[in-house]
């Protein structure tokens, strides 16, 4: 009886660890997707900021 309890406790422990690892994997995959989106949009945001800065600069020089 004692051996069965030990084995079932060990199986439970391994299942819990597997669930934790699965959750960590999902978390890392979500982080990867977030970083991919940020990498895609970063040049657009940087370009828009540069365009806004140039527009402001030209506006100051062309203002009478």
């Amino acid at each position: 009886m004692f051996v069965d309890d030990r084995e079932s406790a060990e199986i439970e422990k391994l299942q819990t660890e597997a669930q934790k690892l699965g959750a960590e994997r999902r978390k890392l995959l979500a982080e990867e997707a977030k970083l991919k989106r940020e990498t895609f949009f970063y040049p657009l945001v940087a370009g828009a900021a540069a365009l806004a800065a140039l527009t402001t600069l030209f506006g100051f020089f062309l203002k009478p």
Side-chain angles (χ1 to χ4, degrees), residues 53-64:
L54 285 174
T55 304
T56 303
L57 187 64
F58 283 129
F60 283 135
F61 283 125
L62 297 177
K63 206 171 199 179

Side-chain angles (χ1 to χ4, degrees), residues 26-39:
R26 287 189 298 275
K27 180 181 172 184
L28 289 173
L29 288 173
E31 183 70 21
E32 178 191 18
K34 178 184 170 190
L35 288 172
K36 282 182 180 180
R37 279 192 311 270
E38 289 175 358
T39 302

Side-chain angles (χ1 to χ4, degrees), residues 5-46:
D5 290 341
R6 254 169 114 183
E7 286 177 358
S8 64
E10 185 66 27
I11 289 172
E12 240 180 84
K13 182 179 171 184
L14 290 173
Q15 287 174 341
T16 303
E17 185 66 25
Q19 289 174 347
K20 286 180 184 178
L21 289 173
E24 184 68 24
R25 180 179 180 268
R26 287 189 298 275
K27 180 181 172 184
L28 289 173
L29 288 173
E31 183 70 21
E32 178 191 18
K34 178 184 170 190
L35 288 172
K36 282 182 180 180
R37 279 192 311 270
E38 289 175 358
T39 302
F40 176 75
F41 285 114
Y42 181 79
L44 297 175
V45 172

